[in-house]
Amino acid sequence: MNSFIRHRRLRRNDAIRTMIREHHVRVDDLIYPLFVVEGKGMKNEIHSMPGIYQYSLDQLETELNELMQLGILSIMVFGVPLEKDEQGSQAYHSHGIVQEAIRWIKERFPQFYVIADTCLCQYTSHGHCGVVENGEVLNDPSLSLLAATAVSQAEAGADMIAPSNMMDGFVAEIRLALDQHGYEHIPILSYAVKYASGYYGPFRDAAQSKPQFGDRRSYQMDPANAREAMREATSDIAEGADLLMVKPGLAYLDIIYRVREAFSLPIVAYNVSGEYAMVKAAAKEGWIDERKVVEETLVGFKRAGADLILTYHAKDMANWLKG
């Protein structure tokens, strides 16, 4: 009689493998990033992100109809303005591109849950996420601008505010401003754990947000640090965050796991632009099976503890889930 355990009994065929599968990716878990630009007749494919486009408002209808048919009803809106200045004033202008996009979407597609990216880097002439003075990104003067941006997005109809700047105290400042303006019901998805990563390159093409000098290591986290991630998440929860983001996702599955084990708030993994671009490039060359790699990656986020996934693969994944 054999004394060893036969684990393969539960791998014998598709039926049993499906029955005992521990983690699943559902279309409801997916958030789709949407880039909006000023102008008309604009549908610009981002060269480093095949299949991802910048849209002017008059081109959004077809895209949103496709998302709706796929069952993807959660979107995050990123804006690309025509005008930039030192203070990033288009970020908090009542008629800024994100504010106009939110109004447009809510008027025509009220069933969508619209999350507003709340940052300054796309709107500043220097490309940094805050106020710059003598080459230094200042923390406290940046907070009032971020709060003004969040309030203007809520006024436009955003369902959720997602501040991504990594300034100290940004959640507290935004929570206070939202509450004072009567938006106590608007949740904050904090980019609580955002690393100074090399995986962001294609996004900076899409959002036209590359820093004009230096880098963002004075406010985004060192990729080598894990304990610091827990401090960041702890402080954001204390300041009023409702959900926590870990960005990037793929190289930081251990961080997602640590945050999940420590806190009960919903966790969002950002499957970032560089991760998307690498898969698309390798798949184009025939080096990988794109579907298998994407499915494996997204279920990896869920296995690590993520509740939701912000991903450029959302439409592909939704199509595969539909069979």
Side-chain angles (χ1 to χ4, degrees):
M1 181 175 179
N2 293 325
S3 60
F4 54 83
I5 298 171
R6 295 189 180 275
H7 298 287
R8 290 181 57 191
R9 291 176 184 140
L10 300 183
R11 303 172 193 158
R12 187 170 177 79
N13 54 46
D14 282 342
I16 187 62
R17 289 193 294 268
T18 301
M19 286 170 61
I20 67 165
R21 186 162 293 147
E22 297 176 27
H23 298 279
H24 299 81
V25 177
R26 307 170 304 150
V27 69
D28 293 338
D29 301 329
L30 306 176
I31 304 169
Y32 188 62
L34 197 63
F35 295 96
V36 292
V37 296
E38 297 182 85
K40 292 185 177 180
M42 309 285 282
K43 183 182 177 182
N44 307 322
E45 186 171 29
I46 300 153
H47 176 71
S48 55
M49 300 174 69
I52 304 299
Y53 297 83
Q54 298 171 332
Y55 295 94
S56 55
L57 300 188
D58 62 332
Q59 299 296 306
L60 277 179
E61 185 171 359
T62 300
E63 178 73 351
L64 292 175
N65 276 323
E66 181 183 356
L67 291 172
M68 191 164 55
Q69 290 169 6
L70 290 169
I72 301 169
L73 295 179
S74 299
I75 55 176
M76 184 176 289
V77 179
F78 297 88
V80 185
L82 284 176
E83 297 180 10
K84 304 188 180 194
D85 57 38
E86 288 287 311
Q87 300 292 312
S89 60
Q90 288 299 307
Y92 42 89
H93 196 287
S94 60
H95 294 288
I97 182 58
V98 164
Q99 289 79 357
E100 290 295 319
I102 293 169
R103 290 189 191 96
W104 191 98
I105 295 166
K106 281 298 181 180
E107 287 173 3
R108 294 163 177 81
F109 295 87
Q111 60 271 62
F112 277 91
Y113 192 88
V114 180
I115 307 169
D117 172 66
T118 307
C119 199
L120 301 177
C121 59
Q122 299 104 290
Y123 306 92
T124 55
S125 52
H126 45 72
H128 281 283
C129 303
V131 175
V132 171
E133 187 176 297
N134 298 322
E136 181 181 355
V137 181
L138 303 181
N139 193 92
D140 294 8
S142 303
L143 297 179
S144 60
L145 302 185
L146 293 164
T149 301
V151 170
S152 70
Q153 292 169 339
E155 289 174 344
D159 296 295
M160 181 182 289
I161 299 299
S164 58
N165 54 88
M166 289 297 286
M167 296 294 112
D168 290 336
F170 70 97
V171 174
E173 192 81 5
I174 288 172
R175 183 72 273 161
L176 177 63
L178 289 173
D179 291 354
Q180 288 177 339
H181 286 81
Y183 297 110
E184 300 94 340
H185 61 288
I186 299 292
I188 296 175
L189 163 56
S190 170
Y191 284 63
V193 184
K194 182 178 180 181
Y195 286 90
S197 172
Y199 284 98
Y200 301 153
F203 175 89
R204 291 171 184 170
D205 293 339
Q208 298 172 12
S209 60
K210 183 178 180 180
Q212 298 303 301
F213 68 89
D215 53 42
R216 294 175 177 154
R217 289 184 294 175
S218 70
Y219 47 101
Q220 294 178 1
M221 288 177 50
D222 184 340
N225 292 356
R227 293 190 299 273
E228 183 182 7
M230 305 308 293
R231 297 197 299 272
E232 287 279 1
T234 299
S235 63
D236 283 8
I237 292 170
E239 292 175 15
D242 299 284
L243 304 90
L244 303 174
M245 176 86 81
V246 176
K247 178 183 180 183
L250 193 56
Y252 299 89
L253 293 173
D254 63 312
I255 304 301
I256 296 172
Y257 182 79
R258 286 173 185 242
V259 174
R260 170 76 293 148
E261 289 293 289
F263 306 112
S264 60
L265 268 63
I267 296 172
V268 183
Y270 196 154
N271 182 207
V272 298
S273 60
E275 298 165 0
Y276 174 88
M278 290 190 300
V279 170
K280 288 292 184 180
K284 182 179 178 181
E285 295 296 327
W287 296 337
I288 61 171
D289 183 318
E290 180 178 358
R291 176 174 179 172
K292 287 184 177 179
V293 168
V294 172
E295 290 178 343
E296 187 175 338
T297 299
L298 299 189
V299 81
F301 295 139
K302 295 299 296 288
R303 193 179 63 247
D307 299 287
L308 302 169
I309 306 167
L310 177 61
T311 177
Y312 303 96
H313 292 293
K315 290 200 294 184
D316 289 334
M317 187 65 189
N319 267 308
W320 295 329
L321 288 171
K322 286 169 71 77

